[in-house]
Each structure stands twice: as structure tokens, then as C-alpha cells.
């Protein structure tokens, strides 16, 4: 079992930046990839970005490419999401997630552990 605690959300204006953090504990050796998802009211949970734990290979949703950057610190069991040029459309609860799959790392079902979520609100 992996436990995740995410943090760093807040209320910002359009164009501002935020940095989200996620700390993993428990059976962290089982982690093959970590990701950030977001869920806005009335919308499905969607993948924002993912990163493989060993190689650092990343994927991004088309809507955030060029604006968001996912990174990790394996020694600290941390994953980060740097969000720049935020837009009101980015407003959502952001959740970090961990996967033990060999590959995939795109769907909600690919991730077995979840953080509690941190609210990001971007005003215009």
C-alpha cells in the first residue's frame, strides 16, 4: 500500500504560477509511475501529467503542454507539478496518484493510490 499526501493548491489569478507537491509513503518501492489528475465540477477525472519512477519519462495532457511540468525526487519520494500561465479552465481539484503497473499510466484505472486532493482556483 502506498499513501500519498498532496499539497500546494490555492487561489491565483490568470497567468500566475503554482507548484503542487506530493509525498509518497508506505510501499514506495512498488511505485512504477506517478501522476497528477484533476477533476472539475461535473467533469470526469482526467490525467494532467505522469512520470515514470525510474526513467523519468513524462506525458502531458494536450491542454497543459508547454505550461505544466512534472518532476520527481526519488530519494525524497516526492513528485511535483509546476503550473505556469494558469488559466481559469485549469480550476479543479488536483490529485496525485501512484501506479505499480509496468506500463500505461494514462487512465484513472492505471493508478491504485491517490492523494486527498488539493484545490486550484484560477480567477480571471
Amino acid at each position: 500500500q502506498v499513501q500519498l499526501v498532496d499539497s500546494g493548491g490555492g487561489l491565483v489569478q490568470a497567468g500566475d504560477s503554482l507548484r503542487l507537491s506530493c509525498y509518497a509513503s508506505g510501499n514506495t518501492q512498488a511505485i512504477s509511475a506517478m501522476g497528477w489528475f484533476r477533476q472539475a465540477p461535473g467533469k470526469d477525472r482526467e490525467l494532467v501529467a505522469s512520470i515514470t519512477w525510474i526513467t523519468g519519462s513524462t506525458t502531458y495532457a494536450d491542454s497543459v503542454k508547454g505550461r505544466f511540468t512534472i518532476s520527481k525526487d526519488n530519494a525524497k519520494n516526492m513528485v511535483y507539478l509546476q503550473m505556469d500561465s494558469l488559466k481559469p479552465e485549469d480550476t479543479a481539484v488536483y490529485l496525485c496518484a501512484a501506479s505499480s503497473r509496468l506500463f500505461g499510466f494514462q487512465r484513472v484505472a492505471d493508478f491504485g493510490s491517490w492523494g486527498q486532493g488539493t484545490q486550484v482556483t484560477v480567477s480571471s
Side-chain angles (χ1 to χ4, degrees):
Q1 183 77 288
V2 175
Q3 293 80 45
L4 304 175
V5 179
D6 42 29
S7 61
L11 173 62
V12 298
Q13 295 182 348
D16 285 352
S17 297
L18 279 175
R19 182 178 174 87
L20 306 183
S21 300
C22 178
Y23 172 69
S25 62
N27 188 20
T28 57
Q29 293 195 84
I31 297 174
S32 58
M34 295 188 71
W36 288 96
F37 289 75
R38 67 186 181 187
Q39 188 163 24
K43 300 180 67 177
D44 292 334
R45 188 171 297 182
E46 64 174 352
L47 177 70
V48 177
S50 67
I51 185 167
T52 60
W53 205 235
I54 302 301
T55 66
S57 179
T58 59
T59 60
Y60 294 93
D62 289 341
S63 59
V64 307
K65 286 180 180 176
R67 299 189 296 121
F68 291 8
T69 304
I70 189 170
S71 61
K72 63 182 177 68
D73 186 332
N74 296 59
K76 297 180 179 179
N77 295 133
M78 297 287 293
V79 64
Y80 308 95
L81 185 67
Q82 178 66 42
M83 304 185 293
D84 297 322
S85 302
L86 282 162
K87 305 175 181 179
E89 305 89 81
D90 296 317
T91 296
V93 173
Y94 284 71
L95 308 98
C96 66
S99 176
S100 59
R101 293 173 57 89
L102 295 178
F103 35 73
F105 320 124
Q106 298 183 72
R107 304 175 300 130
V108 169
D110 295 333
F111 293 80
S113 299
W114 295 85
Q116 79 282 1
T118 183
Q119 177 71 44
V120 173
T121 302
V122 185
S123 65
S124 59

